[in-house]
Amino acid sequence: MACKNCNQPLKTDHSYCSHCGAKVIRNRLSFKNLWYDITERYFNLDNTFLKTFWHLFTKPEVVIMGYIDGVRKRYLNPIGYFGIALTLSGLLVFLIRKVFMDDIGMDIFDIGADQQVFRDVFDSVMDFQAFVFVILIPMLAFPSWLLFNSQRHIFSEHMVSFTYIQAHYTIATFPISILVLSVAPNTYTSYGVINVLVMLLYSLYVFKRITSYGLGQFLFRSAVFLLLFVVEYFLVSNLIFLVLLFTGFVSLDSFRPG
């Protein structure tokens, strides 16, 4: 008998391959076995997903710095963790578009603009949901690379940090987002703004754990970090709006009070 993953010989009484460590699968892929595999992979108490999820709350520096320093088996890698977050984000967008769109209050600044215009813009942006989700990582990594670099990390290592941070925050807030949509969908846009602010605070919490700056220096760098991100966010948001404007999807007249 040979391992189906590395093709090395297997002993018949072994449950794991001694060469690559893969579990030996002897049963057919029934629904029962498939369900067991899913629960074992993602919900086992010794599982890397649950450890990664919990430790990104309690000791994020161990997860992130461990990966940067070469630890690969203890926690879920950032790409795998990000993949789970991207899947949940896509599911959330699907539910918004198919179930909750008409109930979401869009005019959060109460300027009297046409709600349908905001919904059309919102729906159009969600067509690029995966791109927006990914582009936030370098947008956050750039100011952190400039300001939180006491460990002399290169830019790609800051990208790793924010891949973990954004993925973790998305996974952690997914149930809350579903709850808000189910109970008070008209407040979801306001909730989204608060969500971004809390994610930024969580990012600063992580970098306080990672870096060795004193409190005063850290607070100053945090303020500059937030300012730079706001500038980036403003530029990217306006770029998206200009694309929609020049493609004729929206017009300035649509945003004037009726």
Side-chain angles (χ1 to χ4, degrees):
M1 182 178 179
C3 175
K4 296 175 183 178
N5 294 280
C6 66
N7 292 320
Q8 295 296 319
L10 282 174
K11 293 185 178 180
T12 55
D13 58 339
H14 283 194
S15 298
Y16 293 88
C17 175
S18 60
H19 295 275
C20 69
K23 186 177 181 179
V24 179
I25 305 297
R26 295 186 172 88
N27 297 323
R28 296 288 299 274
L29 195 60
S30 64
F31 283 110
K32 178 181 178 181
N33 293 330
L34 182 61
W35 177 250
Y36 175 82
D37 187 57
I38 291 172
T39 55
E40 182 73 12
R41 181 178 298 272
Y42 291 105
F43 300 106
N44 188 294
L45 291 178
D46 294 328
N47 182 268
T48 55
F49 171 76
L50 288 183
K51 284 195 295 186
T52 303
F53 181 81
W54 180 245
H55 287 173
L56 279 169
F57 280 121
T58 59
K59 43 186 178 181
E61 72 281 7
V62 174
V63 180
I64 294 170
M65 293 299 297
Y67 185 84
I68 290 173
D69 292 338
V71 177
R72 294 292 183 268
K73 293 292 186 181
R74 190 177 304 163
Y75 298 107
L76 200 61
N77 70 74
I79 301 302
Y81 203 55
F82 188 77
I84 296 172
L86 190 60
T87 301
L88 293 178
S89 178
L91 176 60
L92 188 64
V93 167
F94 174 81
L95 291 173
I96 289 172
R97 299 180 83 168
K98 298 296 183 182
V99 181
F100 299 107
M101 180 65 82
D102 292 338
D103 298 320
I104 295 176
M106 295 292 176
D107 192 5
I108 60 173
F109 299 110
D110 196 24
I111 63 175
D114 188 347
Q115 291 275 327
Q116 188 57 47
V117 172
F118 280 102
R119 288 193 179 94
D120 290 342
V121 172
F122 188 54
D123 189 59
S124 179
V125 171
M126 285 193 294
D127 285 334
F128 306 98
Q129 170 262 339
F131 172 77
V132 173
F133 196 71
V134 171
I135 201 66
L136 277 173
I137 295 174
M139 284 176 61
L140 290 162
F142 178 69
S144 76
W145 174 62
L146 293 176
L147 295 160
F148 298 119
N149 214 7
S150 62
Q151 305 290 336
R152 302 297 179 190
H153 290 151
I154 60 177
F155 181 72
S156 59
E157 290 171 332
H158 282 265
M159 291 275 286
V160 167
S161 298
F162 276 101
T163 300
Y164 268 124
I165 289 169
Q166 189 178 341
H168 182 62
Y169 192 77
T170 300
I171 293 169
T173 57
F174 177 76
I176 302 173
S177 299
I178 295 295
L179 181 63
V180 171
L181 284 169
S182 301
V183 175
N186 60 308
T187 66
Y188 185 76
T189 309
S190 301
Y191 160 77
V193 174
I194 296 171
N195 222 6
V196 172
L197 296 176
V198 176
M199 187 194 73
L200 291 173
L201 292 177
Y202 171 69
S203 303
L204 294 176
Y205 159 73
V206 171
F207 276 95
K208 185 67 178 78
R209 300 289 296 255
I210 290 176
T211 60
S212 56
Y213 297 114
L215 180 60
Q217 193 176 17
F218 178 78
L219 290 175
F220 172 75
R221 289 172 181 271
S222 297
V224 179
F225 169 83
L226 292 174
L227 178 63
L228 288 176
F229 176 74
V230 167
V231 171
E232 287 181 314
Y233 193 85
F234 177 80
L235 291 174
V236 172
S237 299
N238 277 274
L239 179 62
I240 293 173
F241 177 77
L242 287 174
V243 170
L244 295 175
L245 187 64
F246 285 116
T247 55
F249 186 80
V250 296
S251 67
L252 292 177
D253 291 338
S254 302
F255 293 90
R256 291 174 183 166

